[in-house]
Amino acid sequence: MEYNGKSYSGTWDLFASAIMGSMMRGENLENAVQLTVKFLTEVIHDSYMEDVSEFEGINFEKYLVMLA
């Protein structure tokens, strides 16, 4: 996915939380980062397609299952 020119509020919080959650489940750092990148790519793409304001955050709830 190419950069969409937007910077969504809350993405760094999700990044850190997804990595920490993965590592607490026993994943190594490399796998945790790979999963987090896949998760955030889907979340950001969905938010872009739904035309969510950068200041309202991002649509992440329906993608939480990726982190389970």
Side-chain angles (χ1 to χ4, degrees):
M1 180 173 118
E2 292 184 29
Y3 177 58
N4 66 15
K6 297 190 179 248
S7 177
Y8 293 97
S9 178
T11 51
W12 281 109
D13 296 329
L14 284 173
F15 179 81
S17 297
I19 288 176
M20 181 57 70
S22 292
M23 293 184 72
M24 298 215 36
R25 284 193 325 273
E27 295 288 342
N28 65 36
L29 180 59
E30 182 178 352
N31 290 342
V33 169
Q34 288 174 356
L35 176 61
T36 299
V37 168
K38 288 178 189 175
F39 170 71
L40 285 175
T41 298
E42 291 295 322
V43 168
I44 291 168
H45 178 71
D46 183 76
S47 298
Y48 179 75
M49 296 306 291
E50 293 291 326
D51 199 28
V52 174
S53 166
E54 298 169 65
F55 305 106
E56 292 179 13
I58 51 181
N59 294 337
F60 70 92
E61 292 86 357
K62 64 184 167 184
Y63 294 97
L64 288 174
V65 68
M66 292 177 69
L67 302 176

